[in-house]
């Protein structure tokens, strides 16, 4: 059995005792005042805001032309409608499978 040696015990700290609450309270208003002054200075300081440089896109005119063309295009594809009408007239979709598939798509079950 080992018995601890009493000489290994911690010695009492030589650090000064913490400040009294009255000392802390006396220093707080000065610190608060200094912090407020710094905040006011930061708010009053002129801010220089620079816009980031934007790269120039060399194909911008082509893109603008393409967008203008897209705005002119109709959302209704008359060529597709015409082709489907021909297939319907020819009886291409007169099958049970085609009817079931159409019904599923109409009901949102595709």
């Amino acid at each position: 059995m080992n018995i601890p040696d009493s000489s290994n015990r911690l010695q009492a700290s030589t650090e000064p005792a913490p400040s009294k609450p009255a000392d802390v309270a006396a220093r707080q208003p000065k610190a608060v005042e200094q912090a407020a002054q710094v905040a006011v200075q930061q708010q009053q300081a002129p801010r220089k805001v620079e816009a980031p440089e934007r790269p120039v896109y060399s194909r911008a005119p082509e893109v603008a032309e393409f967008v203008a063309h897209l705005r002119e295009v109709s959302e209704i594809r008359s060529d597709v409608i015409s082709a489907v009408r021909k297939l319907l007239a020819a009886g291409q979709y007169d099958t049970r499978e085609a009817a079931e598939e159409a019904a599923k798509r109409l009901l949102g079950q595709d």
Side-chain angles (χ1 to χ4, degrees), residues 25-41:
R27 284 184 277 167
Q28 279 182 342
K30 187 174 182 178
V32 170
E33 182 180 329
Q34 288 174 345
Q37 288 175 353
V38 169
V40 168
Q41 288 172 355

Side-chain angles (χ1 to χ4, degrees), residues 42-87:
Q42 288 176 348
Q43 288 176 351
Q44 292 175 348
R47 295 183 181 178
K48 184 178 180 181
V49 178
E50 294 181 18
E53 287 191 31
R54 300 169 91 186
V56 177
Y57 186 56
S58 63
R59 298 183 71 185
E62 293 174 53
V63 172
E65 184 180 339
F66 182 69
V67 169
H69 177 70
L70 285 176
R71 288 188 176 133
E72 294 173 5
V73 175
S74 174
E75 291 183 27
I76 299 172
R77 301 267 317 266
S78 58
D79 57 329
V80 174
I81 292 173
S82 174
V84 171
R85 282 185 178 159
K86 288 178 185 176
L87 291 172

